[in-house]
Amino acid sequence: MRFQELLAAKLLEKHAITPEIFLQMKTIFPHLRDIFIKTSRTFHPIFGLGRYINRPLPPVPQREVCERPAEGPREI
């Protein structure tokens, strides 16, 4: 972890590059969805489609799947 912290600081200083964390939606949905939405203002997530090298592009998600995060948090 220390190496990553030092590397991130150096990249920010020299090249204005910041680290990014990629999280698959299946990691949080459905059990951690509400917590994710409740805390997302802290880290400003950007949604996108993931891709693996040497695999075909994934299908575009169905509209219902894309709209679920926008519904807002439910009571926890």
Side-chain angles (χ1 to χ4, degrees), residues 10 16 46-47 59 61 76:
K10 192 58 84 174
I46 299 171
F47 292 95
I76 297 177

Side-chain angles (χ1 to χ4, degrees), residues 1-70:
M1 290 298 292
R2 182 71 179 137
F3 171 76
Q4 290 179 340
E5 291 172 9
L6 293 171
L7 178 62
K10 192 58 84 174
L11 289 172
L12 179 61
E13 175 188 321
K14 288 191 168 215
H15 305 288
I17 298 173
T18 58
E20 302 292 335
I21 297 173
F22 296 90
L23 177 70
Q24 291 185 337
M25 191 65 153
K26 68 181 179 182
T27 305
I28 63 165
F29 193 79
H31 305 294
L32 300 173
R33 175 190 168 272
D34 295 336
I35 295 169
F36 177 81
I37 291 171
K38 196 179 257 187
T39 60
S40 65
R41 288 188 174 178
T42 306
F43 50 86
H44 309 286
I46 299 171
F47 292 95
L49 293 176
R51 168 139 208 238
Y52 292 97
I53 295 174
N54 298 327
R55 289 192 195 172
L57 288 173
V60 175
Q62 295 178 347
R63 182 178 206 88
E64 301 81 40
V65 173
C66 295
E67 291 176 349
R68 281 187 208 140

